[in-house]
Amino acid sequence: MDKDVSEPRVVVGVDGSTSSYAALRWAVRYAGLVGGTVDAVAVWELAGLYGWSAPAVDVDVDEDDARQRMRQELTDVLGADAAGSVRTHVVHGNPADVLLRAAEGAEVLVVGSRGRGGFARALLGSVSQHVSQHANCPVVIVRSETS
C-alpha cells in the first residue's frame, strides 16, 4: 500500500460484516473532514493455515474476482461517487497482521467491533482487539447501527 502520500491516510478493514460497513462509512466521513484518502483492506486466508481448526485446503482464490466483488460491495455501501474515491486492497494473510502492516504511517486504522467470525456475544472481535493493542497509530472501533 502506498505509504508515501502527503495527505492523511485512513485504513479501514472490510470483511462483509455490518460493523465493517459502519467502519467503512466512518472512515470515508473522517477522511473527508481531514482531507485524507481511504484504503479499504479485505483479507483472505485459508482455513487451517494458522492453526489446527481444519486441514489446509488448496483453494483457488480468484483475486481479480475478489477485487471486483469488493468494489461492488463498496458501491452498495457508499454509493458510486464515494466508492470511487476509496482505494481497495485484497490481501492474503492473517487479518490482524495485514491490517497492522497496512496501517503503518496511517493517520488512523478503522475496524468494526465484530467481524464475520467468532462469538456473537463478544464485546470485541479478535481482530479489532488485537489491532487496538498493537497498532502504531490511533485505532477507531466502530459498532454497527444494529449491534
Side-chain angles (χ1 to χ4, degrees):
M1 277 155 254
D2 187 6
K3 296 176 177 83
D4 296 326
V5 294
S6 60
E7 60 268 338
R9 197 167 52 86
V10 178
V11 176
V12 58
V14 180
D15 68 1
S17 66
T18 57
S19 67
S20 80
Y21 293 158
L24 177 62
R25 287 188 290 271
W26 192 97
V28 169
R29 283 192 306 270
Y30 180 79
L33 292 172
V34 299
T37 61
V38 177
D39 287 330
V41 180
V43 184
W44 64 274
E45 65 182 333
L46 298 176
L49 190 60
Y50 297 104
W52 292 94
S53 62
V57 180
D58 184 17
V59 177
D60 244 353
V61 174
D62 185 342
E63 289 190 47
D64 289 333
D65 181 54
R67 281 186 192 87
Q68 289 175 350
R69 284 185 284 134
M70 183 178 181
R71 179 58 58 194
Q72 183 59 52
E73 200 171 15
L74 295 183
T75 300
D76 293 345
V77 172
L78 300 171
D81 290 339
S85 68
V86 175
R87 295 182 296 210
T88 60
H89 308 276
V90 177
V91 182
H92 173 258
N94 174 279
D97 293 341
V98 169
L99 288 172
L100 288 171
R101 278 194 315 273
E104 290 174 4
E107 169 98 359
V108 65
L109 170 60
V110 186
V111 293
S113 60
R114 289 190 296 227
R116 298 183 61 84
F119 301 98
R121 293 181 51 186
L123 295 176
L124 285 180
S126 60
V127 172
S128 57
Q129 185 170 7
H130 186 85
V131 300
S132 71
Q133 294 171 349
H134 298 283
N136 290 324
C137 66
V139 176
V140 174
I141 301 172
V142 180
R143 291 181 59 146
S144 69
E145 294 82 15
T146 58
S147 289

